[in-house]
Amino acid sequence: MPGRHNLLKRTHGVAWRLAALLFILIYVGAIWFLIFLNSERFALQTIEVGGNRRLSSETIAAAAREALAGRRWWFFNRDRYWFYSPEQLATALGARFGRLASVGVRTPDWQRLQIEISERQTTALWCPVDCFYLDETGLAFA
């Protein structure tokens, strides 16, 4: 019986080494994959703004870059194609500029962000103490 015991001991040791090697390979592969997804080739470098009349494209692009700054889940840059949220970006721009009636965000490729906006149309001027512009729904926006 001593032979059978040694065989089980050897098989058990090989299984632990294979499990440890598999764990290390999965760990290294996951780290490599996370670094790949966070690489500069997927950064939204060009921001194109369309539909604006009074607000400058540079102002809207700067506000979009500010909204895309920071990290998602502690280690992914928000300005990467995979990790930006079009809904959050549209909401942030709408909250920052009261003049915007709607904001559409899309990415035609990995490095380009297109923002299509429509501005509120001024239909009246309201001056209780300070003056405000009103749109067609009666919303005071600037």
Side-chain angles (χ1 to χ4, degrees), residues 3 5-15 17:
H5 182 65
N6 287 339
L7 180 63
L8 287 175
K9 211 179 212 186
R10 239 183 290 146
T11 307
H12 186 65
V14 170
R17 279 188 236 134

Side-chain angles (χ1 to χ4, degrees), residues 10-28:
R10 239 183 290 146
T11 307
H12 186 65
V14 170
W16 274 105
R17 279 188 236 134
L18 283 175
L21 180 63
L22 183 63
F23 175 76
I24 290 170
L25 286 175
I26 290 172
Y27 183 75
V28 168

Side-chain angles (χ1 to χ4, degrees), residues 122-128 130-135 142:
T122 303
T123 57
L125 184 65
W126 179 47
C127 297
D130 294 325
C131 291
F132 298 97
Y133 292 114
L134 299 175
D135 68 357

Side-chain angles (χ1 to χ4, degrees), residues 55-56 58-64 91-101 103 117 120 141:
L55 294 171
S56 71
E58 294 81 20
T59 304
I60 295 170
T91 302
L93 291 175
R96 172 106 183 247
F97 301 105
R99 181 173 288 282
L100 299 181
V103 180
I117 63 170
R120 298 185 191 280
F141 61 90

Side-chain angles (χ1 to χ4, degrees), residues 68-108:
L68 291 172
R71 300 203 177 261
R72 182 178 298 280
W73 304 311
W74 296 289
F75 46 85
F76 291 120
N77 292 329
R78 284 183 189 262
D79 67 344
R80 300 302 188 254
Y81 174 80
W82 311 105
F83 305 111
Y84 90 101
S85 170
E87 295 83 17
Q88 287 179 351
L89 181 58
T91 302
L93 291 175
R96 172 106 183 247
F97 301 105
R99 181 173 288 282
L100 299 181
S102 68
V103 180
V105 179
R106 67 184 203 100
T107 50

